[in-house]
Amino acid sequence: MKRLIRQALVLFAALTIVCGVLYPAVVTLIAEAAFQNKANGSIIEGNKGRFPK
């Protein structure tokens, strides 16, 4: 029983790292490389000027 719980926790931790950290980081890096001028958002222009400054 302890072995099964340990395996489940190890798998949970591994999938959390892969799906919650590595995958988003890789996708973000690819987006930054492919769309350098668009990946960081855009400037909003209104009556009072640009936002963010």
Side-chain angles (χ1 to χ4, degrees):
M1 183 70 176
K2 287 184 181 181
R3 181 175 173 226
L4 185 62
I5 292 173
R6 182 180 180 280
Q7 287 176 340
L9 290 175
V10 168
L11 184 60
F12 175 75
L15 288 175
T16 299
I17 291 169
V18 169
C19 296
V21 178
L22 294 178
Y23 177 75
V26 169
V27 170
T28 301
L29 290 174
I30 291 171
E32 288 281 342
F35 306 104
Q36 292 177 359
N37 58 347
K38 297 181 180 180
N40 291 324
S42 59
I43 301 295
I44 300 171
E45 294 186 22
N47 295 338
K48 297 182 180 180
R50 290 181 164 194
F51 181 84
K53 293 182 179 184

